[in-house]
Amino acid sequence: MERFGRLDILVHNAGALGKLTPAGHIVPKDLDECMAVNFTSAWRLIRTCAPVLAASDAGRAIFVTSRVAREPKAYWGAYAASKAAMETMIRCWADEVENTPLRINIFDPGRTATRMRATAFPGEDPRTLPTPADRAAALAALCLPSETRHGQIIRPT
């Protein structure tokens, strides 16, 4: 804020998978890590960055998620719950600033060849999946001043 007077773009792409295990077997350390990285860090960014984003003529905030937040699956409890909490917080924030120039969206890249995906699906051939670079253009487009979508979960086509 002191140097530039505003923040135009915020992208939260942090993610912690934790351990894929039955809900009753989730250990506190793994749940705490998922919540800290996937949810609490997003909330802290909102607290810190909301004023400087609001100072922009076209502030954009994008938070990366996963479909499992909306379609829970067995053994994904810690990760799914933390991403669902993050999505809820972001959608509340988006609703709060609806009548401002700030545009806030959630980006779900879908199946992507990442290290996290390889950990979750070790037998999957990553060459059959889009790469992070393949998904980058869709995420970057959400950061443009011309982007009008707001409060949505967006998946690349």
Side-chain angles (χ1 to χ4, degrees), residues 29-122:
K29 175 179 95 33
D30 292 336
L31 182 62
D32 290 346
E33 178 187 29
C34 283
M35 292 304 291
V37 174
N38 301 334
F39 170 70
T40 305
S41 65
W43 166 72
R44 288 185 181 277
L45 282 170
I46 293 168
R47 285 183 46 90
T48 302
C49 297
V52 289
L53 278 166
S56 175
D57 291 339
R60 301 294 181 257
I62 314 302
F63 294 79
V64 179
T65 192
S66 171
R67 177 178 281 176
V68 75
R70 294 169 313 285
E71 298 175 16
K73 303 285 183 207
Y75 311 113
W76 287 77
Y79 181 76
S82 63
K83 286 294 189 174
M86 184 268 298
E87 284 188 13
T88 300
M89 178 70 73
I90 301 314
R91 294 180 85 179
C92 289
W93 182 35
D95 196 44
E96 293 161 5
V97 300
E98 184 174 3
N99 296 318
T100 73
L102 182 56
R103 295 291 163 254
I104 300 165
N105 287 295
I106 299 167
F107 181 72
D108 180 350
R111 298 171 55 230
T112 307
T114 63
R115 189 174 349 155
M116 183 185 292
R117 175 99 186 165
T119 299
F121 299 95

Side-chain angles (χ1 to χ4, degrees), residues 8-13 58-64 103 105-109 132-149 154-156:
D8 294 321
I9 300 168
L10 168 67
V11 176
H12 178 272
N13 188 36
R60 301 294 181 257
I62 314 302
F63 294 79
V64 179
R103 295 291 163 254
N105 287 295
I106 299 167
F107 181 72
D108 180 350
D134 295 331
R135 300 298 197 203
L139 189 146
L142 294 173
C143 300
L144 296 173
S146 59
E147 177 58 60
T148 59
R149 289 176 287 184
I154 297 161
R155 293 197 65 178

